[in-house]
Amino acid sequence: METTDYEHGVVPQDQRKGWLSIAAVWIAIGIDLSGAFLGIELASGMAFWDAIWATMLGSLLLGLLAMACTYVGASTGLSTAMISRAVFGRIGGAVLAIAITISLVGWFAVQTGFFGQNAQIAFHEFTGIDVPVQLFNAVGGVLMAITAFWGYRSINRLSSLAVPLLLLLLVVGVVVAFIQHGTAGLDARVDVTYTFGGAVSLVMGIFILGVVLSPDMARWAKTPKQAMAAGFVGFFFGNSIILVVAILLARVLNQTELMTMYFTLGMGGIAVVVLILAQWTTNTTNLYSAGLAFSSISSRLGRRTVTAVLAVIGIVIGVVGAADVFVSFILVIGTLIAPYGGVYLASFLTGRRTARWAHGAAVPHVDAWSIIAWAAGVLVAFATTNPADGPGFGWFTITTISSLDGLLVGFAVYVLLWLVRGGRRADAAQAVPDARTDEVAA
């Protein structure tokens, strides 16, 4: 099996894939137990249609943002961490790569925790035997690490097989729930604990890191247009499907665990299949991107070796209970990482014809302007987060979606600083010949 994933360079054109197979990867990532958890939370804390519209709006915004971020990945052929080198400089990019790695290993640990909790429920329902959840965490983590170790091609094959089956099983679960229990539960009154803006922010927060890191997969697209199509379809449908299914099942069955819901419907076997496939396809990409990010720090670091080490770390963290801090974790991640997406979008759109975007080009140790723009985005994201919705100050509002606020401000501040510095005139000294630029942007 071909194992090179071009972690230190550009994906060759003859290795690139069609948009549908890449979209399948993102749909598979979106169908996971963390999405089910959030859907259940929204179902118990909002009116039914408010929860559905918050899901649709948040997923639509994710899809639109993904179109922009995937364009950068396909145009450059570089991973997100390699892009950070062009944006923040050699040292600045390395620091950000470490931050991305920590975030993704944390996600990997959280997802193994969810897998363990639900696998324990399924095993008890089938056998009546109580097995420590830590065992399921470890087994699930190893399973997810295997595909990440082999790389993108393995992830692509897994997703292509899993997505049709997952969609079928999820739809069947909803249909059976309606047949057995009707739709009366959809209109049940609940205590409202989430604002609409807060819910949209959560919906975006659960996948915003995936949007910002989408170049890791988009660099495999044949053309930027195909990457954009894959990004919109993958993130809009991938993020919304599991949330809508979880909201529907939680309301109809009045349950708070996805596995318990399926066993209530007499579909325990299907529950196990959904559990394994959903977490496998999602969590393997967290570890894959973590390996890409950390290996980008030095050409001496091999992605496969780094991935194996990070897998051990993530499994240990998952076993000790990282899933317990899930909601706070995704809010903080969305606040810190989203502004980076705005900064690299602005940097690419304003300076794509400069030498630093050519693979292997010399870059400064640290690009202070990019870091200032990112810091401004983070500050605004915290400032606009309502304390009732997560870590933040609630000083003012912009879009009511704090992660989106941070991304937009990071983008705007970078562009403003670029204009103050002289815009294209300031970049002229770094200009590269058209042929070389076209090679990078193709």
Side-chain angles (χ1 to χ4, degrees):
M1 179 183 291
E2 177 64 64
T3 59
T4 180
D5 275 71
Y6 311 103
E7 59 266 32
H8 301 120
V10 176
V11 176
Q13 197 64 39
D14 63 356
Q15 295 295 314
R16 305 221 181 173
K17 316 294 181 183
W19 75 271
L20 188 57
S21 67
I22 298 174
V25 172
W26 281 316
I27 292 174
I29 295 171
I31 300 175
D32 67 345
L33 293 181
S34 60
F37 173 85
L38 178 58
I40 292 167
E41 286 287 305
L42 296 181
S44 63
M46 299 183 73
F48 172 72
W49 283 111
D50 287 345
I52 293 295
W53 289 123
T55 297
M56 292 294 102
L57 178 57
S59 299
L60 175 63
L61 292 172
L62 282 174
L64 294 174
L65 288 173
M67 292 178 70
C69 294
T70 54
Y71 178 82
V72 177
S75 296
T76 63
L78 299 173
S79 68
T80 314
M82 291 298 291
I83 288 171
S84 73
R85 184 178 183 275
V87 176
F88 291 98
R90 186 165 58 85
I91 296 176
V95 171
L96 186 64
I98 293 172
I100 291 173
T101 301
I102 294 172
S103 299
L104 287 170
V105 171
W107 264 111
F108 178 78
V110 166
Q111 294 287 356
T112 58
F114 278 125
F115 178 88
Q117 292 170 8
N118 285 273
Q120 183 186 48
I121 293 171
F123 188 81
H124 179 77
E125 290 286 347
F126 274 122
T127 67
I129 301 173
D130 287 321
V131 175
V133 68
Q134 290 82 0
L135 177 62
F136 293 106
N137 290 352
V139 171
V142 171
L143 179 67
M144 299 157 192
I146 292 173
T147 317
F149 179 82
W150 284 107
Y152 176 79
R153 298 170 185 83
S154 181
I155 294 171
N156 185 267
R157 294 189 186 101
L158 174 64
S159 299
S160 297
L161 293 172
V163 166
L165 183 57
L166 281 170
L167 293 178
L168 176 63
L169 296 180
L170 290 172
V171 170
V172 167
V174 172
V175 171
V176 172
F178 282 151
I179 291 174
Q180 292 185 6
H181 298 270
T183 61
L186 299 181
D187 298 322
R189 294 180 62 85
V190 298
D191 294 330
V192 176
T193 57
Y194 293 102
T195 64
F196 185 81
V200 174
S201 187
L202 281 171
V203 170
M204 293 189 69
I206 205 170
F207 216 178
I208 191 70
L209 183 57
V211 170
V212 174
L213 299 178
S214 61
D216 289 348
M217 305 299 174
R219 66 199 180 105
W220 292 88
K222 290 181 178 179
T223 66
K225 287 184 179 179
Q226 290 205 32
M228 293 169 72
F232 181 80
V233 172
F235 281 89
F236 176 73
F237 288 102
N239 196 59
S240 60
I241 289 168
I242 188 64
L243 286 166
V244 170
V245 168
I247 291 169
L248 289 169
L249 291 179
R251 281 306 196 99
V252 171
L253 301 178
N254 194 28
Q255 297 279 353
T256 59
E257 292 283 353
L258 186 63
M259 293 300 103
T260 303
M261 295 177 195
Y262 272 92
F263 277 100
T264 299
L265 297 171
M267 302 171 66
I270 289 179
V272 173
V273 174
V274 170
L275 166 68
I276 293 174
L277 289 180
Q279 290 307 95
W280 190 359
T281 55
T282 297
N283 218 18
T284 191
T285 57
N286 288 328
L287 188 59
Y288 171 72
S289 288
L292 278 180
F294 198 82
S295 62
S296 73
I297 295 172
S298 170
S299 60
R300 294 190 295 271
L301 295 173
R303 184 197 61 81
R304 291 172 65 185
T305 301
V306 168
T307 299
V309 173
L310 294 178
V312 174
I313 295 172
I315 290 170
V316 171
I317 295 173
V319 167
V320 301
D324 295 338
V325 295
F326 172 70
V327 173
S328 296
F329 182 80
I330 63 171
L331 287 172
V332 171
I333 289 300
T335 302
L336 294 175
I337 299 299
Y340 166 56
V343 174
Y344 81 64
L345 283 174
S347 178
F348 181 76
L349 293 177
T350 59
R352 59 177 299 182
R353 303 188 73 83
T354 58
R356 68 165 56 189
W357 284 97
H359 171 57
V363 295
H365 289 299
V366 175
D367 188 315
W369 303 109
S370 296
I371 293 176
I372 291 171
W374 172 78
V378 170
L379 177 61
V380 169
F382 276 112
T384 60
T385 299
N386 188 326
D389 297 325
F393 310 117
W395 291 340
F396 55 90
T397 60
I398 300 177
T399 67
T400 74
I401 305 167
S402 58
S403 54
L404 180 60
D405 293 340
L407 188 149
L408 294 175
V409 170
F411 182 95
V413 170
Y414 185 94
V415 172
L416 178 61
L417 291 174
W418 179 75
L419 291 172
V420 170
R421 290 154 51 207
R424 297 192 183 280
R425 293 191 302 277
D427 292 334
Q430 295 187 35
V432 296
D434 289 345
R436 188 178 182 186
T437 304
D438 291 340
E439 180 183 351
V440 175

